[in-house]
Amino acid sequence: MSPSILPARLARSAGSITRVQGIEAGHYTDTRRPTGCSVVIARAGAVGGVDVRGAAPGTRETDLLHPTNLVERVHAVMLCGGSAWGLDAASGAVRWLEEQEVGLDVRYARLPLVPAAVLFDLGVGEARIRPDAAAGHAACAAASRAAPAEGNVGAGTGASVGKVFGMEHAMKGGIGTASVTVDGITVGALVACNALGDVLEPETGQLLAGARTADGRQLRDTRRALLCGELPQPVLAGTNTTIGVIATDAQINKAQAHRLAVVSHDGLARAINPVHTMSDGDTLFTLGTGASGRTLGMITLAAMAAQVTAVATVRAVLCARGITTAEGLWLPSACDLDDRTSMVRQAHHERFGNRSP
């Protein structure tokens, strides 16, 4: 990764979701085309929550996470490429966890509970290749307490961003992780960013990746382009999505887990614009392991959750590498446009004058 494009505060170690006590993470990356899956495991179980904001989600077992429903704890969350087909990866995680004797004791067996969400990467390479149960099993087998790889791995392998004006103007997305610790309690995130919109640095507003100009050499700035009258290309519903897991070792209940999932979307809104569109299936899960044996107030936990979600989203694109598929689709990374990022604002003024929304 080119250090000049990576903001100084992100160039330093951003931590990882595996710094949360009781959490493991692993990836499976398919070598046949850009796709894969990523898993976050809580062997001892974790209080779960979820919030779906995008209008075109692909999910599995999200209803059981509702605060009023019976099941209190889950054992893993699977993030997958491959659109709805990719949800099969969760079955592989269930099988692997059963082999490890991890799951809810239902008297006759231990039943692993594995909610899942998918992103659409079928337009990047051969669509008939997608994650399956064997891929989910492999991701679990690769999971550990080590910091997970970022960029073109797991669920982020085929991810792309900035598709409002057509896939030919898009850039490479990926998967990123981050964590923050306050008073001995950690909140971490793992986010696979396949957004329709652009990704920006939350504190400065600097565009990092997204829709490119017609010559492909500069960032277009989707928000400003739309507000200045440029027309988006028709987008197939569900072909974009940012999905992720936010975990904490604080002691929380199910209602609090749900609230942390809700406020974590604030982090997406800081890092992606536009976000939660009719063509995105943005879904965030939360896991509370309680392994620290204590808690913080919800105001602090909420601030931590939104922060790590934003940083992990940014790292998803900054750690990505550009690719060219066999079909000739070029998806450059943020680093590929590094020497031109200083021209983003100038390009905007040349294209739209000094008009500002």
Side-chain angles (χ1 to χ4, degrees):
M1 185 190 316
S2 172
S4 60
I5 193 173
L6 188 60
R9 68 184 191 88
L10 294 177
R12 298 187 295 272
S13 173
S16 77
I17 194 170
T18 51
R19 292 190 179 180
V20 175
Q21 297 177 62
I23 290 295
E24 302 169 55
H27 301 300
Y28 169 78
T29 303
D30 202 313
T31 58
R32 297 171 297 168
R33 86 157 177 98
T35 193
C37 57
S38 302
V39 68
V40 177
I41 298 173
R43 289 178 187 249
V47 178
V50 68
D51 188 37
V52 180
R53 292 287 182 90
T59 58
R60 165 176 164 155
E61 295 218 79
T62 52
D63 284 350
L64 65 83
L65 297 175
H66 192 278
T68 63
N69 288 344
L70 179 64
V71 171
E72 186 75 13
R73 303 175 77 84
V74 298
H75 305 94
V77 174
M78 181 66 71
L79 307 177
C80 322
S83 191
W85 284 294
L87 290 171
D88 193 32
S91 298
V94 169
R95 178 164 59 87
W96 186 88
L97 289 165
E98 182 183 20
E99 293 167 357
Q100 311 305 309
E101 299 183 347
V102 172
L104 174 67
D105 185 356
V106 292
R107 185 183 303 177
Y108 307 105
R110 284 198 170 273
L111 176 62
L113 298 174
V114 184
V118 295
L119 56 78
F120 186 98
D121 59 9
L122 301 180
V124 184
E126 174 51 65
R128 288 175 294 183
I129 298 172
R130 54 254 183 175
D132 55 13
H137 191 280
C140 291
S144 74
R145 292 297 311 279
E150 301 174 271
N152 297 27
V153 293
T157 308
S160 54
V161 298
K163 291 161 277 188
V164 172
F165 301 106
M167 194 69 178
E168 67 274 16
H169 299 299
M171 291 178 65
K172 188 70 183 70
I175 196 165
T177 189
S179 65
V180 62
T181 300
V182 174
D183 195 21
I185 289 175
T186 300
V187 177
L190 182 71
V191 176
C193 185
N194 187 58
L196 179 71
D198 299 340
V199 177
L200 56 147
E201 210 289 319
E203 304 232 349
T204 66
Q206 178 193 4
L207 286 173
L208 300 173
R212 292 173 289 132
T213 52
D215 63 6
R217 296 168 59 86
Q218 298 174 7
L219 292 170
R220 186 184 300 229
D221 193 331
T222 296
R223 179 178 67 94
R224 294 181 185 275
L226 291 172
L227 293 177
C228 289
E230 285 207 42
L231 297 178
Q233 286 198 7
V235 180
L236 184 65
T239 53
N240 314 274
T241 287
T242 298
I243 52 179
V245 181
I246 295 85
T248 181
D249 45 30
Q251 291 182 325
I252 57 174
N253 59 36
K254 204 171 178 184
Q256 291 170 326
H258 172 72
R259 178 52 48 183
L260 286 182
V262 170
V263 299
S264 294
H265 279 278
D266 293 351
L268 290 190
R270 294 172 193 170
I272 301 171
N273 200 324
V275 70
H276 304 143
T277 74
M278 293 298 291
S279 295
D280 284 285
D282 302 326
T283 301
L284 295 178
F285 297 92
T286 47
L287 297 173
T289 68
S292 69
R294 45 194 294 273
T295 190
L296 289 172
M298 279 299 292
I299 292 176
T300 302
L301 286 175
M304 295 166 72
Q307 175 70 8
V308 295
T309 301
V311 174
T313 303
V314 167
R315 290 191 63 84
V317 298
L318 293 182
C319 295
R321 304 181 308 278
I323 63 171
T324 301
T325 69
E327 296 77 18
L329 174 65
W330 178 48
L331 294 173
S333 70
C335 297
D336 294 329
L337 298 188
D338 185 11
D339 60 340
R340 302 182 182 95
T341 54
S342 63
M343 297 187 288
V344 171
R345 294 190 184 279
Q346 181 61 35
H348 165 73
H349 291 318
E350 291 176 356
R351 190 173 183 85
F352 303 116
N354 289 319
R355 289 176 293 170
S356 180

